[in-house]
Amino acid sequence: MKLVIAILQDKDAAQAVTELNRRGFRATKLASTGGFLREGNTTILAGVQEPDVEQVVSVLRRTCSVRHETLAPQTPSHSGEPYVPFPVEVTVGGATVFVVDVDRYEKF
Ligand code: 2BA
């Protein structure tokens, strides 16, 4: 078994989960926050059999769009935060996907 961990933009999450469920895949949607933009995004966990991984990734590929976001100028309030003197445009997504081995799966 594999665990697909996918970080998506919030705008794509509902459709991605709907499409996964329609194909019989179970998924869990977690609210998350990107470390760079510090804005909300969505992390999806989907435990799937190895032969199904490509189908799950292709659903994510179809449902997740590339978008451009503008990082507003900011002065750091804590040490370690970036100093951004002028607006910066960043390209976000479609999705960031990790596929990891599952050593053990149990459902009670
Ligand atoms: P954020 O960390 O908020 O990053 C948003 C976007 O900002 C990134 O889009 C990327 O285009 C840009 N970015 C991030 N770090 C940067 C840096 N140090 N310098 C310049 N630009 C930077 P994506 O790559 O599509 O990532 C979207 C979200 O996926 C990220 O939100 C983060 O929550 C997650 N993510 C991406 N790569 C990851 C990784 N290797 N490990 C864990 N989470 C990751």
Side-chain angles (χ1 to χ4, degrees), residues 7 34-38 41 90-93 96 98:
I7 302 161
F36 189 68
L37 293 179
R38 290 153 206 258
N41 54 26
V90 290
T91 303
V92 189
T96 299
F98 304 89

PDB file of all heavy atoms in Angstrom, residues 7 34-38 41 90-93 96 98, ligand 1:
ATOM      1  N   ILE A   7      -0.377  18.356  -1.588  1.00  0.00           N
ATOM      2  CA  ILE A   7      -0.660  19.718  -1.106  1.00  0.00           C
ATOM      3  C   ILE A   7      -1.234  20.502  -2.282  1.00  0.00           C
ATOM      4  O   ILE A   7      -0.596  20.619  -3.338  1.00  0.00           O
ATOM      5  CB  ILE A   7       0.615  20.374  -0.555  1.00  0.00           C
ATOM      6  CG1 ILE A   7       1.178  19.507   0.565  1.00  0.00           C
ATOM      7  CG2 ILE A   7       0.314  21.788  -0.045  1.00  0.00           C
ATOM      8  CD1 ILE A   7       2.621  19.763   0.892  1.00  0.00           C
ATOM      9  N   GLY A  34       0.950  27.064   3.915  1.00  0.00           N
ATOM     10  CA  GLY A  34       2.257  27.060   3.245  1.00  0.00           C
ATOM     11  C   GLY A  34       3.274  27.870   4.032  1.00  0.00           C
ATOM     12  O   GLY A  34       2.954  28.950   4.542  1.00  0.00           O
ATOM     13  N   GLY A  35       4.477  27.348   4.129  1.00  0.00           N
ATOM     14  CA  GLY A  35       5.516  28.013   4.903  1.00  0.00           C
ATOM     15  C   GLY A  35       6.019  29.293   4.254  1.00  0.00           C
ATOM     16  O   GLY A  35       6.510  30.189   4.951  1.00  0.00           O
ATOM     17  N   PHE A  36       5.912  29.399   2.949  1.00  0.00           N
ATOM     18  CA  PHE A  36       6.463  30.563   2.249  1.00  0.00           C
ATOM     19  C   PHE A  36       5.432  31.682   2.167  1.00  0.00           C
ATOM     20  O   PHE A  36       5.668  32.790   2.630  1.00  0.00           O
ATOM     21  CB  PHE A  36       6.925  30.139   0.850  1.00  0.00           C
ATOM     22  CG  PHE A  36       7.690  31.198   0.114  1.00  0.00           C
ATOM     23  CD1 PHE A  36       8.945  31.598   0.525  1.00  0.00           C
ATOM     24  CD2 PHE A  36       7.154  31.799  -1.019  1.00  0.00           C
ATOM     25  CE1 PHE A  36       9.649  32.581  -0.157  1.00  0.00           C
ATOM     26  CE2 PHE A  36       7.843  32.771  -1.707  1.00  0.00           C
ATOM     27  CZ  PHE A  36       9.099  33.170  -1.280  1.00  0.00           C
ATOM     28  N   LEU A  37       4.263  31.387   1.604  1.00  0.00           N
ATOM     29  CA  LEU A  37       3.231  32.421   1.467  1.00  0.00           C
ATOM     30  C   LEU A  37       2.471  32.644   2.783  1.00  0.00           C
ATOM     31  O   LEU A  37       1.815  33.654   2.960  1.00  0.00           O
ATOM     32  CB  LEU A  37       2.234  32.046   0.368  1.00  0.00           C
ATOM     33  CG  LEU A  37       2.768  32.027  -1.066  1.00  0.00           C
ATOM     34  CD1 LEU A  37       1.672  31.618  -2.038  1.00  0.00           C
ATOM     35  CD2 LEU A  37       3.318  33.397  -1.455  1.00  0.00           C
ATOM     36  N   ARG A  38       2.533  31.625   3.671  1.00  0.00           N
ATOM     37  CA  ARG A  38       1.784  31.674   4.948  1.00  0.00           C
ATOM     38  C   ARG A  38       0.291  31.855   4.711  1.00  0.00           C
ATOM     39  O   ARG A  38      -0.389  32.591   5.428  1.00  0.00           O
ATOM     40  CB  ARG A  38       2.331  32.768   5.872  1.00  0.00           C
ATOM     41  CG  ARG A  38       3.712  32.372   6.385  1.00  0.00           C
ATOM     42  CD  ARG A  38       4.557  33.546   6.736  1.00  0.00           C
ATOM     43  NE  ARG A  38       5.958  33.178   6.622  1.00  0.00           N
ATOM     44  CZ  ARG A  38       6.753  32.895   7.635  1.00  0.00           C
ATOM     45  NH1 ARG A  38       6.289  32.902   8.841  1.00  0.00           N
ATOM     46  NH2 ARG A  38       8.011  32.573   7.433  1.00  0.00           N
ATOM     47  N   ASN A  41      -3.621  26.302   2.566  1.00  0.00           N
ATOM     48  CA  ASN A  41      -3.739  25.375   1.449  1.00  0.00           C
ATOM     49  C   ASN A  41      -4.350  24.088   2.012  1.00  0.00           C
ATOM     50  O   ASN A  41      -4.755  24.051   3.177  1.00  0.00           O
ATOM     51  CB  ASN A  41      -2.402  25.185   0.699  1.00  0.00           C
ATOM     52  CG  ASN A  41      -1.245  24.787   1.566  1.00  0.00           C
ATOM     53  OD1 ASN A  41      -1.425  24.186   2.623  1.00  0.00           O
ATOM     54  ND2 ASN A  41      -0.032  25.131   1.136  1.00  0.00           N
ATOM     55  N   VAL A  90       4.722  34.810  -7.360  1.00  0.00           N
ATOM     56  CA  VAL A  90       5.166  33.415  -7.339  1.00  0.00           C
ATOM     57  C   VAL A  90       4.124  32.555  -8.059  1.00  0.00           C
ATOM     58  O   VAL A  90       2.933  32.868  -8.059  1.00  0.00           O
ATOM     59  CB  VAL A  90       5.371  32.862  -5.905  1.00  0.00           C
ATOM     60  CG1 VAL A  90       6.563  33.494  -5.233  1.00  0.00           C
ATOM     61  CG2 VAL A  90       4.134  33.016  -5.066  1.00  0.00           C
ATOM     62  N   THR A  91       4.610  31.501  -8.672  1.00  0.00           N
ATOM     63  CA  THR A  91       3.726  30.544  -9.341  1.00  0.00           C
ATOM     64  C   THR A  91       3.439  29.418  -8.365  1.00  0.00           C
ATOM     65  O   THR A  91       4.366  28.798  -7.839  1.00  0.00           O
ATOM     66  CB  THR A  91       4.426  29.989 -10.598  1.00  0.00           C
ATOM     67  OG1 THR A  91       4.776  31.100 -11.419  1.00  0.00           O
ATOM     68  CG2 THR A  91       3.517  29.047 -11.375  1.00  0.00           C
ATOM     69  N   VAL A  92       2.161  29.153  -8.115  1.00  0.00           N
ATOM     70  CA  VAL A  92       1.789  28.127  -7.129  1.00  0.00           C
ATOM     71  C   VAL A  92       1.058  26.984  -7.827  1.00  0.00           C
ATOM     72  O   VAL A  92       0.177  27.213  -8.651  1.00  0.00           O
ATOM     73  CB  VAL A  92       0.863  28.704  -6.026  1.00  0.00           C
ATOM     74  CG1 VAL A  92       0.682  27.693  -4.915  1.00  0.00           C
ATOM     75  CG2 VAL A  92       1.415  30.002  -5.481  1.00  0.00           C
ATOM     76  N   GLY A  93       1.450  25.780  -7.434  1.00  0.00           N
ATOM     77  CA  GLY A  93       0.747  24.588  -7.927  1.00  0.00           C
ATOM     78  C   GLY A  93       1.094  24.245  -9.353  1.00  0.00           C
ATOM     79  O   GLY A  93       2.113  24.707  -9.835  1.00  0.00           O
ATOM     80  N   THR A  96       1.659  19.672  -5.077  1.00  0.00           N
ATOM     81  CA  THR A  96       2.928  19.056  -4.670  1.00  0.00           C
ATOM     82  C   THR A  96       2.573  17.692  -4.100  1.00  0.00           C
ATOM     83  O   THR A  96       1.790  17.602  -3.148  1.00  0.00           O
ATOM     84  CB  THR A  96       3.625  19.929  -3.601  1.00  0.00           C
ATOM     85  OG1 THR A  96       3.889  21.208  -4.167  1.00  0.00           O
ATOM     86  CG2 THR A  96       4.928  19.293  -3.136  1.00  0.00           C
ATOM     87  N   PHE A  98       3.621  13.779  -2.758  1.00  0.00           N
ATOM     88  CA  PHE A  98       4.587  12.810  -2.235  1.00  0.00           C
ATOM     89  C   PHE A  98       3.890  11.446  -2.218  1.00  0.00           C
ATOM     90  O   PHE A  98       2.738  11.352  -1.814  1.00  0.00           O
ATOM     91  CB  PHE A  98       4.994  13.145  -0.799  1.00  0.00           C
ATOM     92  CG  PHE A  98       5.562  14.539  -0.627  1.00  0.00           C
ATOM     93  CD1 PHE A  98       4.721  15.618  -0.359  1.00  0.00           C
ATOM     94  CD2 PHE A  98       6.921  14.766  -0.721  1.00  0.00           C
ATOM     95  CE1 PHE A  98       5.236  16.894  -0.183  1.00  0.00           C
ATOM     96  CE2 PHE A  98       7.446  16.046  -0.551  1.00  0.00           C
ATOM     97  CZ  PHE A  98       6.605  17.109  -0.288  1.00  0.00           C
TER      98      PHE A  98
HETATM   99  P1  2BA B   1       4.212  27.773   0.209  1.00  0.00           P
HETATM  100  O1  2BA B   1       5.372  27.314   1.045  1.00  0.00           O
HETATM  101  O2  2BA B   1       3.381  28.886   0.750  1.00  0.00           O
HETATM  102  O3  2BA B   1       4.814  28.153  -1.215  1.00  0.00           O
HETATM  103  C1  2BA B   1       3.997  28.773  -2.199  1.00  0.00           C
HETATM  104  C2  2BA B   1       4.773  28.969  -3.486  1.00  0.00           C
HETATM  105  O4  2BA B   1       5.833  29.889  -3.250  1.00  0.00           O
HETATM  106  C3  2BA B   1       5.441  27.702  -4.005  1.00  0.00           C
HETATM  107  O5  2BA B   1       4.520  26.998  -4.826  1.00  0.00           O
HETATM  108  C4  2BA B   1       6.622  28.252  -4.775  1.00  0.00           C
HETATM  109  O6  2BA B   1       6.240  28.670  -6.080  1.00  0.00           O
HETATM  110  C5  2BA B   1       6.986  29.496  -3.993  1.00  0.00           C
HETATM  111  N1  2BA B   1       8.072  29.259  -3.042  1.00  0.00           N
HETATM  112  C6  2BA B   1       8.060  28.460  -1.959  1.00  0.00           C
HETATM  113  N2  2BA B   1       9.220  28.522  -1.296  1.00  0.00           N
HETATM  114  C7  2BA B   1       9.983  29.383  -1.980  1.00  0.00           C
HETATM  115  C8  2BA B   1      11.308  29.911  -1.794  1.00  0.00           C
HETATM  116  N3  2BA B   1      12.061  29.527  -0.758  1.00  0.00           N
HETATM  117  N4  2BA B   1      11.777  30.796  -2.708  1.00  0.00           N
HETATM  118  C9  2BA B   1      11.012  31.200  -3.748  1.00  0.00           C
HETATM  119  N5  2BA B   1       9.755  30.770  -3.976  1.00  0.00           N
HETATM  120  C10 2BA B   1       9.255  29.867  -3.106  1.00  0.00           C
HETATM  121  P2  2BA B   1       4.518  25.421  -4.863  1.00  0.00           P
HETATM  122  O7  2BA B   1       5.911  24.916  -5.094  1.00  0.00           O
HETATM  123  O8  2BA B   1       3.467  24.991  -5.822  1.00  0.00           O
HETATM  124  O9  2BA B   1       4.143  24.935  -3.383  1.00  0.00           O
HETATM  125  C11 2BA B   1       2.813  25.071  -2.885  1.00  0.00           C
HETATM  126  C12 2BA B   1       2.760  24.637  -1.450  1.00  0.00           C
HETATM  127  O10 2BA B   1       3.119  23.243  -1.381  1.00  0.00           O
HETATM  128  C13 2BA B   1       3.771  25.322  -0.527  1.00  0.00           C
HETATM  129  O11 2BA B   1       3.225  26.549  -0.080  1.00  0.00           O
HETATM  130  C14 2BA B   1       3.941  24.318   0.600  1.00  0.00           C
HETATM  131  O12 2BA B   1       2.830  24.364   1.495  1.00  0.00           O
HETATM  132  C15 2BA B   1       3.859  23.001  -0.177  1.00  0.00           C
HETATM  133  N6  2BA B   1       5.177  22.480  -0.548  1.00  0.00           N
HETATM  134  C16 2BA B   1       5.822  22.691  -1.713  1.00  0.00           C
HETATM  135  N7  2BA B   1       6.987  22.009  -1.748  1.00  0.00           N
HETATM  136  C17 2BA B   1       7.080  21.361  -0.571  1.00  0.00           C
HETATM  137  C18 2BA B   1       8.047  20.482   0.016  1.00  0.00           C
HETATM  138  N8  2BA B   1       9.195  20.132  -0.635  1.00  0.00           N
HETATM  139  N9  2BA B   1       7.817  20.000   1.247  1.00  0.00           N
HETATM  140  C19 2BA B   1       6.682  20.335   1.928  1.00  0.00           C
HETATM  141  N10 2BA B   1       5.717  21.141   1.429  1.00  0.00           N
HETATM  142  C20 2BA B   1       5.914  21.658   0.200  1.00  0.00           C
END
